[in-house]
Amino acid sequence: MKTPKSKLLQRLGAGESIKSVCDATGMSQKQFDDWWHNEIRSRLPIMNGKHIQDVQNTVEIERDSWGIPHISGECDEDLFFGYGYAMAQDRLFQLDYLRRKGLGRLSEILGKEGLESDLLARTLDFPSIAVEEEKTLPKEVAQLLQAFSKGINAVIDLGRSCLPIEFDLLDYEPDPWSPIDSLAIQVEFEWYLTGRFPVIVIPELAKRHLS
């Protein structure tokens, strides 16, 4: 059941102006600002505590004065679990955005604004390339990627009641993470670095029109 708070966030996510929301709800600009800042602060990840599943031994994540995580553990798989856990704490929405970009699923949350990116990903079939990439992974790499995925999923499961605010603005929850998602991000990034359409198309158009 949607709460008044979630409905308000969805109105903002749909593009309604702050002024319009304030007028409709009787909030002043200051009241809105206070509510918004409190809402943002309430969604900061909890940096203290214990998670007792999915690791073989103790993993510690300590953050320095800059908030940078330092991860220690007794085996590589535990370290990669901690890596995924810390990364999801810091940037869960960005991770979901990037995997959707790689899988051609941005329009599911952005509507027509995501269609161009989805068309590229689906035309070049990034998802299938990611699946084929997974088949060629050495066993050790596959295990580490799986541990990394478990770390992300631990944060998703623990934080479903208070996800980063972007999820409420766009009215959806992130799906569980898998190694394919990480590989889809890699495939899209490889294309971005080496095969961008503007690099190929613009010189060709110039040649045809300018001779």
Side-chain angles (χ1 to χ4, degrees), residues 83-119:
Y83 179 25
Y85 194 97
M87 182 174 285
Q89 283 184 316
D90 288 346
R91 55 187 70 233
L92 182 58
F93 177 74
Q94 183 185 18
L95 284 168
D96 190 70
Y97 178 91
L98 290 174
R99 77 162 155 187
R100 285 179 175 276
K101 191 175 182 183
L103 293 171
R105 295 181 55 194
L106 271 179
S107 58
E108 293 177 11
I109 60 169
L110 299 182
K112 63 181 181 181
E113 293 181 10
L115 286 175
E116 183 177 351
S117 176
D118 285 357
L119 180 61

Short mmCIF file of all heavy atoms in Angstrom, two decimals, residues 83-119:
data_model
loop_
_atom_site.label_atom_id
_atom_site.label_comp_id
_atom_site.label_asym_id
_atom_site.label_seq_id
_atom_site.Cartn_x
_atom_site.Cartn_y
_atom_site.Cartn_z
N TYR A 83 33.31 -6.20 -0.81
CA TYR A 83 33.42 -5.21 -1.89
C TYR A 83 32.04 -4.88 -2.45
O TYR A 83 31.66 -3.71 -2.61
CB TYR A 83 34.35 -5.78 -2.96
CG TYR A 83 34.58 -4.92 -4.18
CD1 TYR A 83 34.45 -3.53 -4.14
CD2 TYR A 83 34.95 -5.51 -5.39
CE1 TYR A 83 34.68 -2.76 -5.28
CE2 TYR A 83 35.17 -4.76 -6.52
CZ TYR A 83 35.02 -3.38 -6.46
OH TYR A 83 35.24 -2.63 -7.59
N GLY A 84 31.26 -5.93 -2.76
CA GLY A 84 29.92 -5.72 -3.26
C GLY A 84 29.02 -5.04 -2.24
O GLY A 84 28.21 -4.17 -2.57
N TYR A 85 29.18 -5.42 -0.99
CA TYR A 85 28.37 -4.85 0.10
C TYR A 85 28.65 -3.35 0.23
O TYR A 85 27.72 -2.53 0.28
CB TYR A 85 28.73 -5.57 1.40
CG TYR A 85 27.77 -5.34 2.54
CD1 TYR A 85 26.78 -6.27 2.82
CD2 TYR A 85 27.87 -4.22 3.36
CE1 TYR A 85 25.90 -6.08 3.88
CE2 TYR A 85 27.00 -4.02 4.42
CZ TYR A 85 26.02 -4.96 4.67
OH TYR A 85 25.14 -4.77 5.71
N ALA A 86 29.93 -2.98 0.27
CA ALA A 86 30.29 -1.57 0.42
C ALA A 86 29.87 -0.76 -0.80
O ALA A 86 29.39 0.38 -0.67
CB ALA A 86 31.80 -1.44 0.65
N MET A 87 30.03 -1.33 -1.99
CA MET A 87 29.65 -0.61 -3.20
C MET A 87 28.15 -0.35 -3.23
O MET A 87 27.69 0.73 -3.61
CB MET A 87 30.10 -1.37 -4.45
CG MET A 87 29.78 -0.63 -5.74
SD MET A 87 30.45 -1.44 -7.22
CE MET A 87 32.19 -1.01 -7.05
N ALA A 88 27.36 -1.36 -2.84
CA ALA A 88 25.91 -1.18 -2.82
C ALA A 88 25.49 -0.16 -1.77
O ALA A 88 24.52 0.57 -1.97
CB ALA A 88 25.23 -2.52 -2.58
N GLN A 89 26.17 -0.12 -0.66
CA GLN A 89 25.87 0.91 0.34
C GLN A 89 26.05 2.31 -0.25
O GLN A 89 25.26 3.21 0.02
CB GLN A 89 26.79 0.76 1.56
CG GLN A 89 26.43 -0.37 2.50
CD GLN A 89 27.35 -0.38 3.71
OE1 GLN A 89 28.57 -0.23 3.59
NE2 GLN A 89 26.77 -0.54 4.89
N ASP A 90 27.09 2.48 -1.03
CA ASP A 90 27.44 3.80 -1.54
C ASP A 90 26.65 4.20 -2.78
O ASP A 90 26.38 5.37 -2.98
CB ASP A 90 28.94 3.85 -1.88
CG ASP A 90 29.82 3.87 -0.65
OD1 ASP A 90 29.29 4.10 0.45
OD2 ASP A 90 31.03 3.65 -0.80
N ARG A 91 26.30 3.23 -3.64
CA ARG A 91 25.78 3.60 -4.96
C ARG A 91 24.83 2.56 -5.55
O ARG A 91 24.97 2.14 -6.70
CB ARG A 91 26.94 3.87 -5.91
CG ARG A 91 27.95 2.73 -6.03
CD ARG A 91 29.17 3.13 -6.85
NE ARG A 91 30.00 4.08 -6.16
CZ ARG A 91 30.39 5.25 -6.67
NH1 ARG A 91 30.01 5.62 -7.87
NH2 ARG A 91 31.17 6.07 -5.98
N LEU A 92 23.85 2.13 -4.75
CA LEU A 92 22.94 1.09 -5.22
C LEU A 92 22.14 1.52 -6.44
O LEU A 92 21.97 0.76 -7.39
CB LEU A 92 22.00 0.66 -4.10
CG LEU A 92 21.02 -0.46 -4.45
CD1 LEU A 92 21.76 -1.71 -4.90
CD2 LEU A 92 20.13 -0.79 -3.25
N PHE A 93 21.64 2.77 -6.43
CA PHE A 93 20.85 3.20 -7.59
C PHE A 93 21.73 3.30 -8.83
O PHE A 93 21.31 2.92 -9.93
CB PHE A 93 20.17 4.54 -7.33
CG PHE A 93 19.42 5.03 -8.54
CD1 PHE A 93 18.22 4.43 -8.92
CD2 PHE A 93 19.93 6.05 -9.33
CE1 PHE A 93 17.54 4.86 -10.06
CE2 PHE A 93 19.25 6.48 -10.47
CZ PHE A 93 18.05 5.89 -10.83
N GLN A 94 22.95 3.79 -8.68
CA GLN A 94 23.84 3.89 -9.84
C GLN A 94 24.12 2.50 -10.41
O GLN A 94 24.13 2.31 -11.64
CB GLN A 94 25.15 4.57 -9.46
CG GLN A 94 26.08 4.76 -10.64
CD GLN A 94 27.43 5.33 -10.25
OE1 GLN A 94 27.82 5.29 -9.09
NE2 GLN A 94 28.14 5.87 -11.22
N LEU A 95 24.32 1.52 -9.55
CA LEU A 95 24.53 0.16 -10.02
C LEU A 95 23.32 -0.33 -10.82
O LEU A 95 23.47 -0.92 -11.90
CB LEU A 95 24.78 -0.78 -8.83
CG LEU A 95 26.15 -0.72 -8.18
CD1 LEU A 95 26.13 -1.47 -6.85
CD2 LEU A 95 27.21 -1.31 -9.10
N ASP A 96 22.13 -0.10 -10.29
CA ASP A 96 20.94 -0.55 -10.99
C ASP A 96 20.75 0.18 -12.31
O ASP A 96 20.36 -0.42 -13.32
CB ASP A 96 19.70 -0.35 -10.10
CG ASP A 96 18.48 -1.04 -10.67
OD1 ASP A 96 18.45 -2.29 -10.66
OD2 ASP A 96 17.56 -0.34 -11.15
N TYR A 97 21.04 1.47 -12.31
CA TYR A 97 20.94 2.26 -13.54
C TYR A 97 21.89 1.70 -14.61
O TYR A 97 21.51 1.52 -15.78
CB TYR A 97 21.26 3.71 -13.25
CG TYR A 97 21.23 4.61 -14.47
CD1 TYR A 97 20.06 5.28 -14.85
CD2 TYR A 97 22.38 4.79 -15.25
CE1 TYR A 97 20.05 6.09 -15.97
CE2 TYR A 97 22.35 5.60 -16.37
CZ TYR A 97 21.19 6.25 -16.73
OH TYR A 97 21.18 7.04 -17.84
N LEU A 98 23.12 1.41 -14.21
CA LEU A 98 24.12 0.95 -15.17
C LEU A 98 23.79 -0.44 -15.70
O LEU A 98 24.00 -0.73 -16.88
CB LEU A 98 25.51 0.96 -14.53
CG LEU A 98 26.10 2.34 -14.26
CD1 LEU A 98 27.41 2.21 -13.50
CD2 LEU A 98 26.31 3.11 -15.56
N ARG A 99 23.27 -1.32 -14.84
CA ARG A 99 22.92 -2.64 -15.37
C ARG A 99 21.72 -2.55 -16.31
O ARG A 99 21.65 -3.26 -17.31
CB ARG A 99 22.66 -3.63 -14.24
CG ARG A 99 21.33 -3.51 -13.54
CD ARG A 99 20.98 -4.76 -12.77
NE ARG A 99 20.06 -4.46 -11.67
CZ ARG A 99 19.71 -5.35 -10.77
NH1 ARG A 99 20.18 -6.58 -10.82
NH2 ARG A 99 18.88 -5.03 -9.80
N ARG A 100 20.76 -1.68 -16.00
CA ARG A 100 19.63 -1.49 -16.91
C ARG A 100 20.11 -0.93 -18.26
O ARG A 100 19.58 -1.31 -19.30
CB ARG A 100 18.60 -0.55 -16.28
CG ARG A 100 17.78 -1.20 -15.19
CD ARG A 100 16.77 -0.26 -14.56
NE ARG A 100 15.94 -0.97 -13.62
CZ ARG A 100 14.85 -1.67 -13.93
NH1 ARG A 100 14.46 -1.72 -15.20
NH2 ARG A 100 14.16 -2.31 -13.02
N LYS A 101 21.09 -0.06 -18.20
CA LYS A 101 21.65 0.47 -19.44
C LYS A 101 22.30 -0.65 -20.26
O LYS A 101 22.16 -0.71 -21.48
CB LYS A 101 22.67 1.56 -19.12
CG LYS A 101 23.13 2.36 -20.32
CD LYS A 101 24.04 3.49 -19.89
CE LYS A 101 24.48 4.32 -21.09
NZ LYS A 101 25.43 5.40 -20.70
N GLY A 102 23.01 -1.56 -19.57
CA GLY A 102 23.66 -2.66 -20.27
C GLY A 102 22.68 -3.71 -20.76
O GLY A 102 22.92 -4.36 -21.78
N LEU A 103 21.56 -3.89 -20.05
CA LEU A 103 20.58 -4.91 -20.42
C LEU A 103 19.48 -4.37 -21.33
O LEU A 103 18.60 -5.12 -21.75
CB LEU A 103 19.95 -5.50 -19.16
CG LEU A 103 20.89 -6.31 -18.25
CD1 LEU A 103 20.19 -6.65 -16.94
CD2 LEU A 103 21.40 -7.56 -18.94
N GLY A 104 19.51 -3.07 -21.61
CA GLY A 104 18.46 -2.48 -22.45
C GLY A 104 17.13 -2.38 -21.73
O GLY A 104 16.07 -2.60 -22.32
N ARG A 105 17.16 -1.99 -20.45
CA ARG A 105 15.93 -1.94 -19.65
C ARG A 105 15.72 -0.58 -18.99
O ARG A 105 14.98 -0.48 -18.03
CB ARG A 105 15.98 -3.04 -18.58
CG ARG A 105 15.98 -4.46 -19.12
CD ARG A 105 16.00 -5.47 -17.98
NE ARG A 105 14.90 -5.24 -17.06
CZ ARG A 105 14.83 -5.80 -15.84
NH1 ARG A 105 15.80 -6.60 -15.42
NH2 ARG A 105 13.80 -5.55 -15.06
N LEU A 106 16.34 0.45 -19.51
CA LEU A 106 16.18 1.77 -18.90
C LEU A 106 14.76 2.32 -19.09
O LEU A 106 14.22 3.00 -18.21
CB LEU A 106 17.19 2.76 -19.50
CG LEU A 106 18.55 2.86 -18.82
CD1 LEU A 106 19.42 3.87 -19.55
CD2 LEU A 106 18.41 3.24 -17.35
N SER A 107 14.15 2.04 -20.23
CA SER A 107 12.82 2.60 -20.50
C SER A 107 11.77 2.07 -19.53
O SER A 107 10.71 2.68 -19.37
CB SER A 107 12.39 2.31 -21.94
OG SER A 107 12.38 0.93 -22.20
N GLU A 108 12.05 0.95 -18.88
CA GLU A 108 11.11 0.42 -17.88
C GLU A 108 10.91 1.40 -16.73
O GLU A 108 9.85 1.43 -16.11
CB GLU A 108 11.60 -0.93 -17.34
CG GLU A 108 11.60 -2.04 -18.37
CD GLU A 108 12.16 -3.33 -17.80
OE1 GLU A 108 12.35 -3.41 -16.56
OE2 GLU A 108 12.41 -4.26 -18.58
N ILE A 109 11.94 2.19 -16.43
CA ILE A 109 11.84 3.13 -15.32
C ILE A 109 11.85 4.58 -15.77
O ILE A 109 11.35 5.45 -15.05
CB ILE A 109 12.97 2.90 -14.29
CG1 ILE A 109 14.35 3.08 -14.94
CG2 ILE A 109 12.85 1.52 -13.65
CD1 ILE A 109 15.50 3.12 -13.95
N LEU A 110 12.40 4.86 -16.96
CA LEU A 110 12.51 6.23 -17.44
C LEU A 110 11.52 6.56 -18.54
O LEU A 110 11.42 7.71 -18.97
CB LEU A 110 13.93 6.51 -17.93
CG LEU A 110 15.06 6.37 -16.93
CD1 LEU A 110 16.39 6.73 -17.58
CD2 LEU A 110 14.83 7.24 -15.69
N GLY A 111 10.79 5.55 -19.04
CA GLY A 111 9.88 5.79 -20.14
C GLY A 111 10.63 6.10 -21.43
O GLY A 111 11.71 5.56 -21.68
N LYS A 112 10.07 7.01 -22.23
CA LYS A 112 10.64 7.28 -23.55
C LYS A 112 12.06 7.82 -23.49
O LYS A 112 12.83 7.70 -24.45
CB LYS A 112 9.75 8.26 -24.32
CG LYS A 112 9.62 9.62 -23.68
CD LYS A 112 8.70 10.52 -24.50
CE LYS A 112 8.57 11.90 -23.89
NZ LYS A 112 7.65 12.77 -24.68
N GLU A 113 12.45 8.40 -22.35
CA GLU A 113 13.81 8.94 -22.23
C GLU A 113 14.86 7.84 -22.24
O GLU A 113 16.03 8.11 -22.50
CB GLU A 113 13.93 9.78 -20.96
CG GLU A 113 13.10 11.06 -20.98
CD GLU A 113 13.28 11.88 -19.72
OE1 GLU A 113 14.18 11.57 -18.92
OE2 GLU A 113 12.51 12.84 -19.54
N GLY A 114 14.45 6.62 -21.95
CA GLY A 114 15.41 5.52 -21.96
C GLY A 114 15.40 4.70 -23.23
O GLY A 114 16.19 3.76 -23.39
N LEU A 115 14.52 5.05 -24.18
CA LEU A 115 14.35 4.21 -25.38
C LEU A 115 15.59 4.19 -26.27
O LEU A 115 15.95 3.14 -26.81
CB LEU A 115 13.14 4.69 -26.18
CG LEU A 115 11.78 4.35 -25.60
CD1 LEU A 115 10.67 4.99 -26.43
CD2 LEU A 115 11.58 2.84 -25.53
N GLU A 116 16.23 5.33 -26.45
CA GLU A 116 17.40 5.38 -27.34
C GLU A 116 18.51 4.47 -26.83
O GLU A 116 19.12 3.70 -27.59
CB GLU A 116 17.90 6.81 -27.47
CG GLU A 116 19.08 6.94 -28.43
CD GLU A 116 19.54 8.38 -28.61
OE1 GLU A 116 18.84 9.30 -28.13
OE2 GLU A 116 20.60 8.58 -29.22
N SER A 117 18.76 4.54 -25.52
CA SER A 117 19.79 3.69 -24.94
C SER A 117 19.40 2.22 -25.04
O SER A 117 20.22 1.36 -25.37
CB SER A 117 20.01 4.07 -23.47
OG SER A 117 20.93 3.20 -22.85
N ASP A 118 18.12 1.91 -24.78
CA ASP A 118 17.65 0.52 -24.86
C ASP A 118 17.76 -0.02 -26.28
O ASP A 118 18.11 -1.18 -26.50
CB ASP A 118 16.20 0.43 -24.39
CG ASP A 118 16.06 0.55 -22.88
OD1 ASP A 118 17.09 0.65 -22.21
OD2 ASP A 118 14.92 0.54 -22.39
N LEU A 119 17.45 0.82 -27.25
CA LEU A 119 17.53 0.39 -28.66
C LEU A 119 18.95 -0.02 -29.02
O LEU A 119 19.17 -1.03 -29.69
CB LEU A 119 17.05 1.52 -29.57
CG LEU A 119 17.09 1.22 -31.08
CD1 LEU A 119 16.18 0.05 -31.42
CD2 LEU A 119 16.68 2.46 -31.87
#
